[in-house]
Amino acid sequence: MDVAGHRPRTVVSGGPLELAVLWGGFPLLGAGAGWLLAAATGWLVRLPWVPFRNLVEWLDRLPEPQATVGTIAVGVLAGLVIAGIGTAERLIVTVDAAQARLRRSDQDRTVARADTRVVFLADKHLVLLDTDGAELVREPTDLPATQLAAAFRAHGWGWADGDPHRPAYRLWVPDLPGLPAGADALLRARERAIQRDRRDDARELRRELGRIGVVLRDEDKRQYWRLTGRAFTPGAEEPTSAERGPDGR
């Protein structure tokens, strides 16, 4: 307990082991892949269908040990790049009785417990819903559900073992009645973005739909939707604590 008598904050992250795997494991795998490539160039160059043939032939002509040292170095560098990307994408969740903080290298958001009705994991996303059923936060994560559940429950947050609104979702098809004005056009645009694997566009369109009271669930590139109270009160876009974060997001 801290001096005020409250439970101290709980931090959920991959921890030192995850960093060790990222910064130790991936460079080692890259080094191993580089060594195998150097050892196999003589065999690969004889294959008629080998990809990157010009590169393989160039490696095969290099003298030893320069060829092996070079491919190992490139493999280690590739492993370090992957480790850097993985570190940047790590989600760190800090929870106390008043708020939850969600941090990545490029964003830092804070959500007040007073604004949040329920927290759960769905399709490898941490989701926080407000009292209206709208999404305050939806963040991809590989953090263990048991650790997240324990952290939120320890500080009195409402944790659910699954989406409590899942039975309310309906499969979207074009021109389906019951959607707010403009939602069908946004859903059509988002379907195209999903088919073309334009994830940033799909994410932005999800946010636009949320502003008019439509919450989405994706399954096998199909969109399922449900409505919140905002869909019945056009123009009601009250800022939440998640939108008033220290980074202005």
Side-chain angles (χ1 to χ4, degrees), residues 77-173:
L77 180 61
L80 290 172
V81 170
I82 294 172
I85 294 172
T87 301
E89 290 297 313
R90 295 173 75 228
L91 179 65
I92 301 174
V93 180
T94 304
V95 188
D96 62 30
Q99 64 186 24
R101 183 182 180 189
L102 293 86
R103 287 180 292 149
R104 296 187 193 274
S105 64
D106 62 342
Q107 64 183 29
D108 189 341
R109 289 191 284 180
T110 300
V111 185
R113 178 184 166 194
D115 292 336
T116 309
R117 184 178 68 84
V118 66
V119 187
F120 57 91
L121 274 179
D123 303 320
K124 292 191 174 182
H125 285 75
L126 179 63
V127 182
L128 283 72
L129 301 183
D130 65 14
T131 53
D132 193 38
E135 290 182 349
L136 292 168
V137 169
R138 184 181 184 86
E139 282 290 336
T141 181
D142 289 321
L143 293 172
T146 53
Q147 293 184 26
L148 289 168
F152 281 98
R153 284 172 172 159
H155 296 283
W157 293 62
W159 176 271
D161 292 326
D163 187 347
H165 296 281
R166 191 176 181 89
Y169 285 91
R170 300 170 59 189
L171 176 65
W172 173 75
V173 294

Side-chain angles (χ1 to χ4, degrees), residues 120-129 132-139 163-173 176 178-180 182-194 198-228 231:
F120 57 91
L121 274 179
D123 303 320
K124 292 191 174 182
H125 285 75
L126 179 63
V127 182
L128 283 72
L129 301 183
D132 193 38
E135 290 182 349
L136 292 168
V137 169
R138 184 181 184 86
E139 282 290 336
D163 187 347
H165 296 281
R166 191 176 181 89
Y169 285 91
R170 300 170 59 189
L171 176 65
W172 173 75
V173 294
L176 186 73
L179 284 164
D184 198 69
L186 291 170
L187 284 160
R188 288 174 188 267
R190 190 170 184 274
E191 182 181 50
R192 290 193 295 269
I194 291 171
R198 292 161 55 180
R199 298 181 182 180
D200 289 342
D201 289 348
R203 189 160 40 243
E204 180 60 31
L205 288 163
R206 173 191 285 275
R207 284 195 288 265
E208 289 297 320
L209 284 156
R211 292 188 180 103
I212 59 174
V214 181
V215 179
L216 299 180
R217 175 173 64 85
D218 294 322
E219 186 176 314
D220 297 328
K221 294 192 174 182
R222 293 179 296 181
Q223 301 181 95
Y224 292 78
W225 61 275
R226 65 173 176 84
L227 299 180
T228 69

